[in-house]
Structures are given as C-alpha cells and as structure tokens.
Amino acid sequence: TIDEVTEIFIRINSQGAKLNQADFAMSKIAANTTYGGNMLRKAIDYFSHLAVQPEWYSDMCRDAEFVDSEYFKSMKWLKDDREDIFDASYSDILRISFMYKFGRGKLKDLVSLLGGRDFETREYKEAIAEESFRLLKDGVVDFMNQYSHQNFILAIKSAGVIAKRLINSDITLDFAYTLYLLLKADPTLDNKKVDQYVQKWYVLSTLTSRYITSPESVMDADLRAIKAKGFEQFFKEVEAAELSETFWTIGLVQKLETSAINSPYFNLFLAAQIYNSENALFSKGTKISDLITIIGDVHHIFPKNYLKANGITQKNHYNQIANFTYLDTQVNKDISDEAPNVYFNKAFSAVLNNESAYGNIKDYDELIANLEQNCIPANISEMTFADYDTFLKLRREMMAEKIMNYYNSL
C-alpha cells in the first residue's frame, strides 16, 4: 500500500540514503502489476542503462519477457547509438514523460496520481490510477521514440550545443525535450517551427537560469501557461519580459563577469561561435567546434603568468572568462606567456609580409575578421597589463552582442 511504501522510504531516509520523488515514483510503479507497472519500471531502467552503455544490449536481451514487450521494440535502436549529449537517467525519463502527458511539473503529483488521487475531492479512485498508468506508459513510449529522440538532439546540436560539456543544466534540457514532444503533438502549430522554438527556448532558459531555482514550481507554472495560452503567445510574453534591450546591453554583460569556466554564458558564447562555424584565434580552417570535440586549449588572452608578474595575482581576476579563448595547442605553446601587445604585434607584422607568426593566417583582412569572430578588440596590439580591466569590459560587451545576434538568428 501507499502507507507501506511511505514507511519504507522514511526508514531508508533515516539511515542517510538520499531518496527523491523520482525514487518514490519508481517504487510505486514497480509495485504495480495490475496496470503493468513492473514492466514499465523495467523499460525506464533499461533505457537509462542502455543509453550510457549500448554494449549492455546483449545482457538486456536475456530478459525474454521484456524482449516480447512493446517497450523493447521502442528502445532497441539504442544499441547502435553512441551520442552522449542526452543520456537520460530514470529521473529524466520520468520527469519528461510526466510533464509531457500530464501537464504538471511536480513529481510528487505523479506519485499521488499513480495512487489514484483525485485532487478535487481528495479521494483515491481506482479509475484515476488506471488512467495515470496509461498516460505515463504512453509518455514513456513517446520519449523513447527514435525519431523524436534523435531529432531533438539534432535540433540542440544545430544550435551549436554540440557536446555534453556545453550543457550546464540537465533539467533545462529535460524541459526542452518536453517542449519538443508537446509542440510536435500540437496540430495547430507549423511543424517547421518546432526546432526553432525548442532551440530558442533552450537558449532563453539557459541565459535566464529559468530552471535553476525552484525548477519544479517554475516548470509547473510554464506548462500551465502553455496549456492556457498556447506556446506561441506564451513564448512572446516571456521573451519580451526576459530578453529586453537592458538584458542584452547590461544584464548579460554583468553575467559574463565571472571566473567560472563552466559558466552557462561562456558555454553559450562558444555555442554561438560553433553555430556561426567560426575559426579559432589565429587559425583558418581550425574551427571552435573542432577544439571543443577533439582537442584544444583554453588560452588566457592576457597570459596568466604575465598578469601575475605584473601584480594581478587574484585567481578570480586573471581567470575571468572574458580573458579566455580556445586555441590550437601548438598556437597556445607558441604564444606562451608573452604580453598581448607583443604577440599580437608579431601577428600583425607577419601578415603584412604575407606570413604567419601563429597559426596559418597570412592575410591582414583575414586576421582582422578572425579577431572579430573571437571578440578580440581591434586595439589589442596596443594593450598591456595596465589595460587589462578595459579589455575585459570591451570583450564582455562584444561577447554579449555575439550571443544576442546568435539568439536572434536561431
């Protein structure tokens, strides 16, 4: 019974194990044989396992009962899938399936619904439990659909978010996939706009940290608003309120004032560069995307040791993300600890002679364009440690403008 499950959870939690609403829901699902909850629990567990370890497929196939189920047919494509940008946990699968089919954001409501709770009368009805298991099952099957899953990932990657390292919030990605499933199922919406809306919503919610504080409450409110107004109207209202001109010119510039290398704002700056197919600093043909997915170094534009030698010794100062850019490893080594007015002057002097001091750019106009792509101020070749704070301010403004143009172009 629900009372027995609650008692078990209380006892386990008292021993120090941290269990959450997803664990509670999975226990409730697994205990139900009347409406196929035991097999549904397997499907959720197996999918999350197989997503991370496709080679586990042969072990899964030993479960003959599961192989004969409809769930197996929905997820066997994972054995050939090596994409790791969205390896959903059982908690992610439950959350997305629940939000998509029930239009609610709080997982504790799922536990109540699976138990048959009528939120209006506060009674427990078997018909509600039966319908809740049916809806959850449909949601899980839709979640597992190969076409939906892979096309959602393609939409996210097409927006420049090509690697797991560029994703700061799994729950933000969860809502993006929920939105994808909702919009695909909406007969009133032009299907051609779905990818665009999902991309823009993912970027908007990342920029505004929408699902970082009290995420379930915010997602619950968003789902109810989408149902009441339709997504397009809801989106217009949120976009107007959250992404004003003040946000782009002041708010985002302030958010970029951080030393956190995994900052969502720095990751979106990199996504913008990837989306624009831009080259790494001093390089022609070596894309930012190559350095993110293969190998590359994060370089201090004002080298760390140079700044420290000149009195700028605070780590959170010399490690500002506005002082970072991705570089080819060899270029990074060649620059070493030289002052920017030294190594950029070398670069400009070389291209005037149709040569390259670093990388492979030998043309002056190409070098200027390369600096613009990487949001490096044009007068960088005149800057020393005394200009460091001025440089940071200029570059934050340039980075914010690039992110704004990127968002608007999606």
Side-chain angles (χ1 to χ4, degrees), residues 53-119:
Q53 293 180 277
E55 63 275 12
W56 185 73
Y57 178 77
S58 57
D59 291 326
M60 184 179 71
C61 288
R62 293 173 186 168
D63 187 339
E65 183 184 20
F66 185 75
V67 169
D68 288 337
S69 73
E70 64 181 292
Y71 301 112
F72 177 78
K73 298 178 181 65
S74 297
M75 60 190 281
K76 64 180 182 179
W77 61 271
L78 275 177
K79 67 182 173 62
D80 302 313
D81 181 73
R82 297 297 182 272
E83 180 59 68
D84 66 352
I85 197 170
F86 183 43
D87 288 339
S89 67
Y90 68 86
S91 180
D92 296 321
I93 298 170
L94 264 182
R95 184 180 302 282
I96 293 166
S97 303
F98 172 61
M99 290 195 297
Y100 163 52
K101 281 297 182 180
F102 292 78
R104 293 172 175 264
K106 299 178 180 179
L107 275 180
K108 68 177 183 180
D109 290 349
L110 174 60
V111 177
S112 297
L113 287 163
L114 293 174
R117 179 178 173 85
D118 185 323
F119 286 99

Side-chain angles (χ1 to χ4, degrees), residues 14 32 70 107 135 159 180 184 247 361:
S14 70
N32 184 285
E70 64 181 292
L107 275 180
L135 282 173
Y180 176 87
K184 278 292 185 183
F247 171 83
I361 294 178

Side-chain angles (χ1 to χ4, degrees), residues 342-391:
V342 173
Y343 74 85
F344 276 99
N345 263 313
K346 286 182 181 179
F348 277 109
S349 296
V351 294
L352 293 176
N353 295 312
N354 199 32
E355 296 174 352
S356 61
Y358 313 99
N360 59 352
I361 294 178
K362 299 180 180 181
D363 179 81
Y364 178 85
D365 290 338
E366 288 182 355
L367 179 58
I368 291 295
N370 181 254
L371 295 186
E372 290 178 357
Q373 286 184 353
N374 288 279
C375 294
I376 309 291
N379 63 340
I380 186 71
S381 60
E382 302 169 7
M383 291 185 173
T384 68
F385 68 91
D387 304 298
Y388 181 55
D389 286 334
T390 300
F391 162 80

Side-chain angles (χ1 to χ4, degrees), residues 116-163:
R117 179 178 173 85
D118 185 323
F119 286 99
E120 292 183 7
T121 66
R122 298 185 179 180
E123 298 174 342
Y124 287 88
K125 301 176 181 177
E126 196 61 26
I128 291 177
E130 181 178 7
E131 176 65 3
S132 296
F133 270 96
R134 185 190 69 78
L135 282 173
L136 184 60
K137 172 189 171 183
D138 289 347
V140 169
V141 170
D142 286 351
F143 172 97
M144 294 176 175
N145 180 273
Q146 181 179 6
Y147 176 85
S148 295
H149 205 274
Q150 291 182 337
N151 276 275
F152 166 70
I153 292 173
L154 180 60
I156 295 297
K157 294 182 76 170
S158 295
V161 186
I162 61 171

